[in-house]
């Protein structure tokens, strides 16, 4: 069962036990050097999604309070600016995206569906969970699309199984 959205951390001090990760991300927010592409991996329940969502909110916020999103500006209130996709759910709902299917046309359709975004001043954040749900062959077009993204488009990949992701990602 997924942790309730209302219980997700709203500030960096709410995250417990991941200081080695949050310190690096917080420094990136403070200095304006947050990684534009990042892979978070680890067992279920370690906080990957929570950290990804808090990072996304902070990146989009117009009025950061130190490194914490204000929760009140137009960007914080516009839930459409942060695009979150669970690739495992795509596999369940649409058999054409399954690991057994290597049809590039289908993968290109999902890429178009995901990376068609709205943004404020060109900024956008994508959180792609369970990217390993795609076959390694189908991960290649995602890698290619991510390399084409402008630098103000952030992509956060989350997975429980980093060894199922192609090394180039």
């Amino acid at each position: 069962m997924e942790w309730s959205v209302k219980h997700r951390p709203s500030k960096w001090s709410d995250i417990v036990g991941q200081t080695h990760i949050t310190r690096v991300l917080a420094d990136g927010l403070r200095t304006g050097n947050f990684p534009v592409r990042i892979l978070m991996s680890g067992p279920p329940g370690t906080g990957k999604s929570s950290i990804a969502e808090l990072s996304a909110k902070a990146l989009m916020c117009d009025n950061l309070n130190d490194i914490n999103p204000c929760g009140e500006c137009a960007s914080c209130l516009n839930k459409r600016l942060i695009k979150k996709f669970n690739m495992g759910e795509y596999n369940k709902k649409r058999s054409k995206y399954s690991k057994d299917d290597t049809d590039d046309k289908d993968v290109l359709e999902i890429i178009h569906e995901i990376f068609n975004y709205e943004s404020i001043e060109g900024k956008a954040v994508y959180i792609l969970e369970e990217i390993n749900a795609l076959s390694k062959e189908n991960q290649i077009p995602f890698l290619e699309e991510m390399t084409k993204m402008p630098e103000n488009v952030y992509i956060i990949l989350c997975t429980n199984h980093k060894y199922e992701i192609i090394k180039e990602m």
Side-chain angles (χ1 to χ4, degrees):
M1 185 169 151
E2 189 170 310
W3 188 247
S4 172
V5 173
K6 68 180 180 178
H7 293 98
R8 294 242 190 234
S10 60
K11 56 188 178 209
W12 289 96
S13 61
D14 293 341
I15 297 174
V16 178
Q18 298 294 344
T19 55
H20 60 292
I21 295 168
T22 57
R23 186 179 311 123
V24 171
L25 298 177
D27 286 346
L29 289 167
R30 279 189 193 97
T31 62
N33 292 319
F34 194 91
V36 292
R37 314 291 178 261
I38 189 168
L39 172 65
M40 296 184 187
S41 67
T46 55
K48 297 176 300 294
S49 295
S50 293
I51 292 171
E53 288 178 23
L54 185 57
S55 297
K57 289 175 185 175
L59 287 165
M60 294 306 297
C61 181
D62 297 325
N63 301 312
L64 276 181
N65 180 6
D66 183 27
I67 55 170
N68 294 306
C70 70
E72 299 173 357
C73 68
S75 294
C76 284
L77 297 175
N78 187 347
K79 296 184 187 311
R80 296 181 303 174
L81 295 179
I82 299 170
K83 299 292 189 175
K84 185 174 178 182
F85 296 91
N86 183 313
M87 303 314 292
E89 291 299 315
Y90 273 94
N91 279 343
K92 290 177 189 171
K93 292 179 184 174
R94 303 173 185 208
S95 61
K96 67 182 177 179
Y97 300 132
S98 73
K99 280 189 170 190
D100 298 328
D101 187 1
T102 58
D103 181 357
D104 285 342
K105 192 170 190 176
D106 291 336
V107 174
L108 295 176
E109 288 174 12
I110 190 173
I111 289 170
H112 175 73
E113 184 177 335
I114 289 174
F115 292 122
N116 182 13
Y117 64 93
E118 294 180 34
S119 64
I120 291 179
E121 298 177 20
K123 288 192 300 184
V125 179
Y126 293 98
I127 301 171
L128 303 178
E129 294 189 326
E130 295 187 42
I131 191 71
N132 60 288
L134 295 175
S135 69
K136 290 186 179 188
E137 295 83 13
N138 287 341
Q139 291 174 27
I140 292 169
F142 273 94
L143 173 63
E144 291 171 353
E145 189 65 26
M146 286 190 299
T147 62
K148 298 175 190 174
M149 293 288 174
E151 293 213 9
N152 58 346
V153 175
Y154 298 87
I155 300 174
I156 303 171
L157 303 172
C158 298
T159 183
N160 298 335
H161 308 282
K162 70 178 177 180
Y163 299 107
E164 294 179 9
I165 298 176
I166 61 174
K167 290 181 181 181
E168 290 80 9
M169 276 193 147

